[in-house]
Amino acid sequence: MKIFHTADHHLGLRFKNHPEASETLAQSRYKTLDVLVGMANEQNADIFAIAGDLFDRTGMKVSDIQRAVQAINKFEGNVALVLPGNHDYITEDSQLWDRFKKEAGENILVLDEKEAVDLTEYDLNAVVWPAPCHAKHSAENATGWVQGEEKDPDKVHIGIAHGSIEGVSPDFNQQYFPMVVRELNNTGVDIWLMGHTHITWPEKPGKKDIVFNPGTPEPDGFDCGHEGRAFLHNVAEDKSISTEILSTGTYRFRKMERSLNSASDMEKLLAEFGNENYNHTMLKLAVSGRLEPDLYEQWREKRHGIREAVLELKLDDSELRRKVTEEQIRKEFTEDSFPEQLLSSFSQSDEDELQMAYELIKEVQK
Amino acid sequence: MKLKSIKLHPFAGIRDKTIDFEDGVNVLCGPNEAGKSTIYHAILNGLLTTTSLTTTKVESEMGRFFPVGGGDVIRVDIELQDEDQKTIRIRKAWKKGNRQGSASLYLADNTEITDEEQVQQGIEDLLPVSAATLRTILLADQSGLHRTILEMEKEDGVRKELGDILRQNLMETGGVSVDRFRELLDGRYEAYYKRWDRSQDYPERNRGISNPYKTGTGKVLDAYYQKEQLRLDLADAKSFENELDALNKELSEWIGKQKERKEKFDKLQPLKKGISQRQLLEQRVETAKGKRKELLEISKGWPVMEDRIIQLKPKQDKLREKIEALIKEQKLSQNKQKAEQLQAKLKKLRDVRSRVEAAQKELKEAKEIDFEDVKQLRERRSEINNLNGQVEGARLTLRIISDSDKSIEFTESGKEGEKVKLSSGNSIEKIATGGFSLTIEGVDVVVYSGEGDLEKIVKELSSKKKDLQEKLKALDVDSAQSAESLAELYSQKLQNKNNEEKLYNSELDGKSEEDLKKELEELGDVDEVRSLEEVSEEIVKEKTELNSLSREADEAKEKLDKWKESFESVDDVIMELAEQSKSIKDISGEIEGLPELPEGFTSADEFVERVDEFDHKIRRADSLINEKKLEKTSKESNAPETSSEELEKMMEDAKADFERIHHEAETLANVRERTIELLESMDANTYSGLEENFLKWLRQMVGNRFNSVQMNGDLPTTFQTDDGRPLSYEILSHGTKDIVSLAWRFALTEYFLQEQAGFIVLDDPMVDMDPERREMASDVIEEFAGTHQVLVMTCHPEHAEQIKKNSSIIELF
């Protein structure tokens, strides 16, 4: 049995903190969903499982819900399982999920109840044990009910849940449906399809692993610097699991730190963005180092090249400084003149002040 | 350090030319822009520009010096002479392309250096002043002073005094206007800190995000508001999300409960009619059963009651007879009781009578003294006591002495006289009260104490005593006390007798003992009769039994009477009974087809009530759920645009922005503070000594043109003309301005070179001077050239002639 496992699409995410790229990034998430369904079809997956947060919020536009459902409707396998996560949580009167179900095809199953779902009617010898979220925040472990239930040993038991996992989620916190791997391992379920944490876990799935968190298929922030990912689980007759990590998504959020201390450093950095393809990258670039004043000016002139090469640049080059030495000052300014005296008055510890004074003097001098 | 020669091969328009310089004045004469500025730039770059330049730098810095007609290399060789007259040679070549140039430095000891960086460093080390000073003071291509002044006049229109201008000129050599710098700083400072209170590190007037400034804010405050606004937005978003969670939870619970309720209701509701009917029929069965039971009782009781009435009749009669006999016996018992009472009374009368007789006898035997007698006796004795007291108060002592034996009679008044025998020579002493009499040999001597009344009192006393004695005798008592107690005794006995008599009479109650005895006899012999109690008790017992039987009979009769009201006979009852049994059977059959009361209910009423209650609860919950849904919808329609997760990221960014801007602003503030401090200290005393030289050179060139120069501290403020008018720099003529400029250049050159030998380039210094001033100026240049090498460049041959003095003119072409 092949399970294509994804989570945390966050359709409808607005990317307000990335004003330049927000529209592109928002749209790319829908495209990624299309791509994932296509991949699942190519891989002949039996199940397409979305372990929560397909949507970023419950108040979605109808047209956006339709767009998502239309993408999933294209899944050609036996059944698509869609679990409400903490962002698209289910309530008794959920307009989001009511609309979703209305639009959904016959082989889309919204897992909105904590009750076992037998997949026999989808020609699968499996039972799904869902742990849907009913709120954005909750200290409840929604999988708690699964352990006590009787399980037919002849069937494959698939748990599907959404929430933070102790020791796995970087922002593990008790208000996001907290879970513990050890407890999940003891629920009598053969495989747990998890969602919520945007990073992939385990990084290298082993034979004994049964709890899987694919991470988001389309990264959504600098705290999620890896590529987008999904899992393809192959559950054998003996219920052993082999898992393949699939690269998905278009955009990357990268953090880079560079130190520029010479013309070649600078040229290398500029060349990197001149040559390599970064136009799908959101870049947070921190540049530090010391450059000769003329090189520094060059940097100021040429750094926009990086901005043009990437989708969005958040550049912090406040730690990149002109090399303003005593010698330099003597070379440039008449002895005893005001600029010479002002610049010479700053000590090593006043480097920021020296830089700023130099820059201002240069501005006046021009 | 002096310039010895320069070779350009090629450089700008010059293909190959070597110029040798002498000590003192060197006049270079040539057309404007053609030759003289080329030489100037060759010197400047030969000394100060490295040959290690990037492609772009070669272009920007040296590009204009490449030959117009072609060629990608320019070269300048310079020879310098140091203090010890040793020659130092510099060779520089700049080529187009990246760092394609080359340079050599041959030091005084012929050491050769070819590393371009080191060559440049070596040259700069050899120079008497820093590179910048060389460029801006010694090799100034035109009057920096002039330019500064023009700029200043253009910019602020402030009439500055000459001294300030000179001082500022030095401060600003290199083209950095202090005022513009200050303006820039202030502008930036303002741009950062508008409406920000730096001392509190908080918005001015404590106007935080709750009451923000809308306009006129600086970058720091903007960033602060941005960050704070996001913080508020985040708090709002979080609280919105939590509230929505809570509302959803509540709603879920309500809807969940409602679902359960409806399921239960849907199960119960259809039973309601059947169960109501069942209840009705069950009630009818119960009623019928009750009726049947009643009929059964009647049918059984009817003959029993009839029989009972018959059975009871003789018993009742017998009891009635017995009670009649007992009532007769009761009358006899009453006589017996009366006789016993009479006997007792008679016995008591006998006793009282005997006590009356005894009392009478005792009275008769007692001495009769009445209380009037006792009273008289008491009075008499009281009078005696009184008189006695008066007499006793007069005591007399009498001593009788006789000279012979004699017999005398002595009588104390009121007492019996006594015979007293007196013997010769002896004396007798007597004591008398009140008075006494003494009879001696026929002579009576009567003596009374006091005046004559006492005798009367003694007599009265005597008479009273006698009277008392007579009274006591008459009463046959020995004392008044005894008379009193006897009187008391008599009175008691009399009382006793009267009491007993009264008792006796009261017992008789108007009858006599004979009457009573007669009454007793009339009652006859009652010895054999039972006591009244015994008889009465038996009567009560029998009557009670009779009552009980009567009641039993009455009840039976009553029942029968009642039954007879409904039924004519017991047969009727039995028929009715059969009907009821049938009816019960029929209804029970009907009940069997109806639903049973579910568990947990004790009655159909309770069931119906609960189902109705359910219905009511469901309706109420439905409306409440709708209200909650509306509340949720309205809440969701006011949802914050951005989720808390996104806001959190945005807030982190805004925080970082604020930190960065705040840091920048603080850095700027520090620069500004440092600038202000520096300018204050520079104003005070930085350039002392400079102006003296300036005035020295100036005076030499203007002669007596200015009477005096007003000084402010070390610096001149105003020049005064002959007629006493203050002359500020602006109103000096152009020629005079040139002189001021020249004097200032000399003063500055001396200031920087100090004792060292050096060189200075003057670019057409006398253009606007009149011939007289030119003469004086050329004298001054010659004098200055005595210490420092001077290169004068001019495009005016006549100026060249005037300046050259003893030297020759270097013709440029």
Side-chain angles (χ1 to χ4, degrees), chain A residues 149-190:
Chain A
E149 301 284 311
E150 202 175 311
K151 294 171 190 84
D152 180 350
D154 295 333
K155 296 200 172 198
V156 175
H157 295 278
I158 304 167
I160 179 163
H162 185 95
S164 58
I165 308 173
E166 197 176 323
V168 174
S169 310
D171 61 340
F172 179 75
N173 136 0
Q174 291 295 339
Q175 58 165 342
Y176 289 119
F177 299 88
M179 287 169 274
V180 179
V181 173
R182 181 169 31 82
E183 288 171 10
L184 291 169
N185 282 337
N186 293 332
T187 44
V189 163
D190 301 311

Side-chain angles (χ1 to χ4, degrees), chain A residues 8-11 50-60 82-91 94 96-97 100 110 132-136 162:
Chain A
D8 298 287
H9 290 255
H10 290 277
L11 301 178
I50 301 174
D53 288 358
L54 171 62
F55 300 102
D56 187 54
R57 57 183 184 281
T58 52
M60 292 292 291
V82 185
L83 181 82
N86 75 309
H87 275 259
D88 52 5
Y89 56 85
I90 180 93
T91 53
S94 171
L96 169 65
W97 292 108
F100 186 94
V110 176
C133 297
H134 51 76
K136 183 149 191 189
H162 185 95

Side-chain angles (χ1 to χ4, degrees), chain A residues 14-17 89 91-93 136-137 331-336 338 345 352-353 360 363 365, chain B residues 124 130 132-133 136 171 173-174 188 241 244-245 248 632 641 645-646 663 670 674 687 751-752:
Chain A
R14 294 187 172 106
F15 293 99
K16 281 209 157 183
N17 48 338
Y89 56 85
T91 53
E92 295 284 351
D93 62 336
K136 183 149 191 189
H137 305 106
K331 208 167 199 164
E332 286 197 51
F333 301 102
T334 314
E335 290 154 80
D336 284 356
F338 166 73
S345 75
D352 289 338
E353 280 77 6
L360 292 168
E363 213 169 302
Q365 200 176 27
Chain B
E124 284 175 26
S130 76
T133 310
T136 53
M171 274 158 66
T173 49
R188 291 276 165 92
E241 285 167 6
L244 195 61
D245 277 353
N248 271 323
K632 189 183 155 186
E641 272 216 355
E645 285 84 356
E646 263 190 283
H663 179 72
N670 292 340
R674 184 66 58 87
Y687 304 125
Y751 175 83
F752 283 113

Side-chain angles (χ1 to χ4, degrees), chain B residues 679-726:
Chain B
L679 288 175
E680 272 170 14
S681 72
M682 282 177 85
D683 280 355
N685 51 18
T686 308
Y687 304 125
S688 58
L690 186 60
E691 69 293 335
E692 263 178 54
N693 276 342
F694 167 69
L695 287 175
K696 178 188 83 185
W697 296 112
L698 188 69
R699 285 212 174 90
Q700 286 189 38
M701 286 187 276
V702 298
N704 292 323
R705 183 70 192 276
F706 304 116
N707 241 0
S708 62
V709 177
Q710 282 192 354
M711 301 294 286
N712 177 9
D714 288 335
L715 290 169
T717 54
T718 322
F719 297 92
Q720 261 182 340
T721 56
D722 300 342
D723 51 6
R725 282 186 297 120

Side-chain angles (χ1 to χ4, degrees), chain B residues 87-233:
Chain B
T87 301
I88 294 129
R89 280 178 293 141
I90 299 162
R91 303 181 67 136
K92 282 189 178 173
W94 293 270
K95 274 182 88 171
K96 290 195 174 175
N98 195 35
R99 302 182 198 280
Q100 294 295 306
S102 62
S104 295
L105 173 64
Y106 302 90
L107 295 172
D109 57 358
N110 267 330
T111 317
E112 185 183 357
I113 299 166
T114 57
D115 178 273
E116 291 166 287
E117 298 280 327
Q118 282 190 36
V119 168
Q120 191 53 42
Q121 195 53 53
I123 296 167
E124 284 175 26
D125 288 347
L126 288 167
L127 294 173
V129 294
S130 76
T133 310
L134 187 78
R135 185 185 290 116
T136 53
I137 307 292
L138 306 188
L139 302 185
D141 59 346
Q142 58 176 312
S143 171
L145 179 63
H146 222 97
R147 192 178 55 199
T148 309
I149 290 158
L150 288 174
E151 272 180 16
M152 286 194 304
E153 282 177 346
K154 254 187 278 168
E155 275 169 16
D156 52 19
V158 176
R159 291 168 66 90
K160 288 189 188 290
E161 296 300 348
L162 185 64
D164 292 338
I165 291 166
L166 296 177
R167 184 177 51 207
Q168 199 159 347
N169 175 253
L170 177 56
M171 274 158 66
E172 296 181 353
T173 49
V176 176
S177 158
V178 171
D179 285 347
R180 277 180 57 199
F181 187 72
R182 279 294 309 268
E183 264 169 40
L184 183 66
L185 274 179
D186 290 347
R188 291 276 165 92
Y189 185 85
E190 185 75 354
Y192 275 118
Y193 279 124
K194 244 191 280 174
R195 301 255 192 246
W196 183 263
D197 185 339
R198 250 188 100 210
S199 62
Q200 291 204 45
D201 208 20
Y202 198 72
E204 267 177 20
R205 295 161 183 269
N206 287 322
R207 286 180 64 171
I209 190 64
S210 54
N211 179 24
Y213 288 106
K214 305 278 184 208
T215 54
T217 51
K219 284 192 213 171
V220 173
L221 186 55
D222 287 343
Y224 176 78
Y225 280 158
Q226 175 100 16
K227 165 187 83 115
E228 288 298 291
Q229 187 56 52
L230 282 165
R231 186 175 60 77
L232 292 188
D233 291 350

